[in-house]
């Protein structure tokens, strides 16, 4: 989304006393351009709640996510979070904390560049071997591109 449009959205949220939920689950996998800054970073009025997860970039079974919320509602979010279940997986959080502090996460993200090569190889193979039945959608970010049936291909359920 263009910067001007992002500013309009922030203005709208402020004017309407509304929240914007920004879920940036695959920001680490942007290949064709520099990563765009989070909308939450542009928010000067406390209208954006930024959500993220470590499950996408580390491994799905980890099931650890996070929310960056405006300061004045932190206590409400903590209360809601505590009412959802008895506890968060403390051991996973402690291990992840060390992983982040010791710089392993940053190294892991740099190593994730291998996914670009794998994704590009998959796209090339589709173009070479399956272009008559499968089209690949635009693929600027994410691990897996979008696939569409080629014209004339019947989809059976």
């Amino acid at each position: 989304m263009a910067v001007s449009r992002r500013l309009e959205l922030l203005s709208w949220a402020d004017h309407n006393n509304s929240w914007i939920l920004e879920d940036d689950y695959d920001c680490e996998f942007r290949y064709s351009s520099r990563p765009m800054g989070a909308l939450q970073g542009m928010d000067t009025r406390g209208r954006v709640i930024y959500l993220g997860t470590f499950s996408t970039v580390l491994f799905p079974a980890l099931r650890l996510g996070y929310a960056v919320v405006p300061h004045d509602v932190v206590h409400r979010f903590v209360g809601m979070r505590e009412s959802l279940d008895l506890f968060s997986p403390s051991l996973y959080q402690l291990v992840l904390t060390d992983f982040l502090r010791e710089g392993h996460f940053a190294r892991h993200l740099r190593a994730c560049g291998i996914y670009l090569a794998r994704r590009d190889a998959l796209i090339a193979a589709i173009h070479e071997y399956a272009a008559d039945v499968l089209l690949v959608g635009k693929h600027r970010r994410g691990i897996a591109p979008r696939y569409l049936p080629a014209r004339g291909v019947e989809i059976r359920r």
Side-chain angles (χ1 to χ4, degrees), residues 40-72:
Q40 188 268 341
M42 299 173 67
D43 180 23
T44 60
R45 307 288 295 185
R47 304 310 316 162
V48 177
I49 298 167
Y50 182 87
L51 307 173
T53 180
F54 292 102
S55 298
T56 304
V57 72
L58 291 174
F59 59 97
L62 183 60
R63 300 183 50 80
L64 283 178
Y66 55 91
V68 179
V69 301
H71 182 71
D72 59 335

Side-chain angles (χ1 to χ4, degrees), residues 128-143:
E128 185 172 345
Y129 300 107
D132 56 330
V133 295
L134 199 59
L135 300 175
V136 179
K138 291 185 178 185
H139 44 274
R140 285 175 240 155
R141 65 187 269 178
I143 296 174

Side-chain angles (χ1 to χ4, degrees), residues 22-43:
E22 182 175 17
D23 184 6
D24 202 4
Y25 68 94
D26 68 351
C27 66
E28 292 87 1
F29 298 107
R30 181 181 295 273
Y31 304 117
S32 62
S33 63
R34 283 186 52 233
M36 185 173 278
L39 184 63
Q40 188 268 341
M42 299 173 67
D43 180 23

